[in-house]
């Protein structure tokens, strides 16, 4: 008599293996392995390994290893007990700035800054821009120089001791740093850090901020010579500091306000009359000497000139 094949799986294993695989997997494993793999994986692992690998990997790992490897790898959430025969590929290095390695980016940023400041870089400011700044500007970024200049200013004027220093030397755009205002193009327009415990010297790098119009550093403890000013400068207020030395020979030709009273500046003042747009010039309580040129009388817009106590 021929065996009758059932269309439905049995609820308990048979005593002997069947000659042919069933169309549907059994709900429980058989006591003995089948002579040939089933066409579909069993729902639960077998208690003993099969003699030949199945056509498809099981959905979960077996209790015992198979006698030979499967045709496709299984994926386990647990680590393997021994290393693989072939090593994995090394991790790829992430690229920055449109395809540069980090070291290449650092070198190019340094090169760009040296081009802009050929007399030398401020070591600590350079190191912060290149290695520590979370914003990590690329070498072709048009705002790289102004971010570097503000970093130099912060370090040279004891920024860590300022009264207000919110966001300075952070990953924020430098236009968001306290006291900094930028124009619509993103270039620094105003520096307003008056009465802020700013101590030290004003770096000449300030003169490279070619969009700067207002420099308010009055009522601080700044010392050193008079700073180099960019041609864009309009309003300079440095009064009540400890600046000393001579005034520069040339001035920004669009400057309207110059308040440098209550310092220790000395020497002649006649270079100032070169600026025909001046409206307010306050030079009192310094150490200026010499004669006052009659050319000051030709400044049509000038309405205030203070020279007492020199």
């Amino acid at each position: 008599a021929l065996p009758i094949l059932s269309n439905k799986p049995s609820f308990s294993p048979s005593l002997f293996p069947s000659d042919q695989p069933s169309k549907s997997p059994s709900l429980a494993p058989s006591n003995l392995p089948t002579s040939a793999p089933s066409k579909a994986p069993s729902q639960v692992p077998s208690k003993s390994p099969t003699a030949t690998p199945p056509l498809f990997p099981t959905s979960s790992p077996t209790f015992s290893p198979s006698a030979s490897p499967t045709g496709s790898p299984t994926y386990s959430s647990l680590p393997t007990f021994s290393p693989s025969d072939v090593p994995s590929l090394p991790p790829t290095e992430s690229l920055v700035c449109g395809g540069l390695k980090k070291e290449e980016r650092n070198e190019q940023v340094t090169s760009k800054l040296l081009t802009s400041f050929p007399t030398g870089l401020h070591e600590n400011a350079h190191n912060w821009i290149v290695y520590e700044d979370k914003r990590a500007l690329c070498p072709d970024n048009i705002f790289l120089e102004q971010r570097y200049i503000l970093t130099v200013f912060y370090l040279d004027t004891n920024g860590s001791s300022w009264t207000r220093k919110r966001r300075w030397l952070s990953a924020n755009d430098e236009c968001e740093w306290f006291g900094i205002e930028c124009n619509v193009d993103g270039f620094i327009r105003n520096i307003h850090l008056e009465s802020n415990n700013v101590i030290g010297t004003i770096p000449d790098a300030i003169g490279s901020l070619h969009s700067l119009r207002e420099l308010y550093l009055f009522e601080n403890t700044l010392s050193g010579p008079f700073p180099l000013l960019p041609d864009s400068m309009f309003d300079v207020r440095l009064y009540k500091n400890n600046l000393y030395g001579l005034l520069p020979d040339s001035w920004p030709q669009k400057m309207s306000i110059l308040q440098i009273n209550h310092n220790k500046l000395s020497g002649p003042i006649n270079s100032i009359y070169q600026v025909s747009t001046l409206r307010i010039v306050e030079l009192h309580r310094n150490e200026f000497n010499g004669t006052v040129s009659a050319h000051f009388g030709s400044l049509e817009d000038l309405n205030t000139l203070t020279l007492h106590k020199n």
Side-chain angles (χ1 to χ4, degrees):
L2 295 176
I4 299 175
L5 298 179
S6 173
N7 292 328
K8 299 182 179 178
S10 56
F11 291 95
S12 59
S14 58
L15 297 178
F16 297 98
S18 58
D19 293 331
Q20 297 179 348
S22 58
K23 295 180 181 180
S24 302
S26 57
L27 298 178
S30 59
N31 294 327
L32 297 177
T34 58
S35 57
S38 60
K39 295 181 179 180
S42 57
Q43 294 179 344
V44 293
S46 58
K47 296 179 180 180
S48 301
T50 56
T52 56
L55 299 178
F56 302 97
T58 58
S59 57
S60 59
T62 58
F63 297 115
S64 302
S66 58
S68 58
T70 60
S72 302
T74 57
Y75 297 93
S76 173
S77 60
L78 300 176
T80 56
F81 293 102
S82 59
S84 58
D85 296 329
V86 181
S88 59
L89 296 176
T92 57
E93 183 176 359
S94 59
L95 301 179
V96 297
C97 297
L100 295 177
K101 294 181 179 179
K102 184 178 291 186
E103 293 77 10
E104 294 174 333
R105 175 261 175 192
N106 295 347
E107 292 175 0
Q108 292 189 24
V109 166
T110 299
S111 178
K112 179 66 176 297
L113 290 175
L114 281 172
T115 300
S116 301
F117 306 96
T119 58
L121 299 178
H122 188 293
E123 181 178 1
N124 291 336
H126 162 264
N127 289 342
W128 187 83
I129 287 290
V130 174
Y131 304 112
E132 300 176 33
D133 186 5
K134 297 294 189 296
R135 198 166 186 84
L137 297 185
C138 296
D140 59 349
N141 192 296
I142 59 176
F143 303 117
L144 176 64
E145 287 88 348
Q146 72 174 21
R147 193 170 178 87
Y148 166 79
I149 291 171
L150 288 185
T151 304
V152 173
F153 179 82
Y154 179 88
L155 296 174
D156 278 358
T157 58
N158 200 26
S160 59
S161 297
W162 290 356
T163 305
R164 299 174 298 278
K165 53 181 179 292
R166 184 168 54 92
R167 295 192 180 126
W168 275 78
L169 268 59
S170 71
N172 290 72
D173 189 299
E174 60 274 11
C175 296
E176 299 175 0
W177 295 358
F178 174 81
I180 301 301
E181 298 175 6
C182 294
N183 59 25
V184 293
D185 296 319
F187 292 102
I188 296 171
R189 183 182 187 274
N190 301 329
I191 297 178
H192 291 177
L193 292 170
E194 64 274 9
S195 304
N196 199 42
N197 197 39
V198 181
I199 303 171
T201 59
I202 304 173
D204 282 341
I206 290 290
S208 296
L209 294 175
H210 300 301
S211 297
L212 185 63
R213 288 178 54 83
E214 296 179 0
L215 182 61
Y216 290 6
L217 296 175
F218 56 86
E219 296 178 350
N220 282 297
T221 317
L222 290 164
S223 59
F226 197 86
L228 181 66
L229 300 175
D231 292 337
S232 58
M233 189 61 67
F234 176 81
D235 188 349
V236 180
R237 305 189 188 192
L238 302 176
Y239 59 87
K240 292 188 178 179
N241 279 287
N242 294 317
L243 300 177
Y244 58 80
L246 303 177
L247 295 179
D249 294 330
S250 61
W251 296 85
Q253 292 303 300
K254 296 181 181 180
M255 189 166 57
S256 179
I257 299 173
L258 178 63
Q259 293 178 320
I260 54 176
N261 49 288
H262 289 82
N263 278 286
K264 298 177 181 180
L265 297 166
S266 59
I269 64 171
N270 289 333
S271 63
I272 298 175
Y273 74 76
Q274 303 171 12
V275 187
S276 61
T277 55
L278 282 170
R279 293 188 302 107
I280 299 174
V281 179
E282 296 184 357
L283 307 177
H284 58 280
R285 290 188 178 272
N286 276 287
E287 299 175 7
F288 294 123
N289 54 45
T291 59
V292 179
S293 172
H295 287 89
F296 278 101
S298 64
L299 301 179
E300 297 180 357
D301 295 330
L302 185 63
N303 57 52
T304 301
L305 175 62
T306 62
L307 299 171
H308 58 279
K309 294 192 176 181
N310 274 291

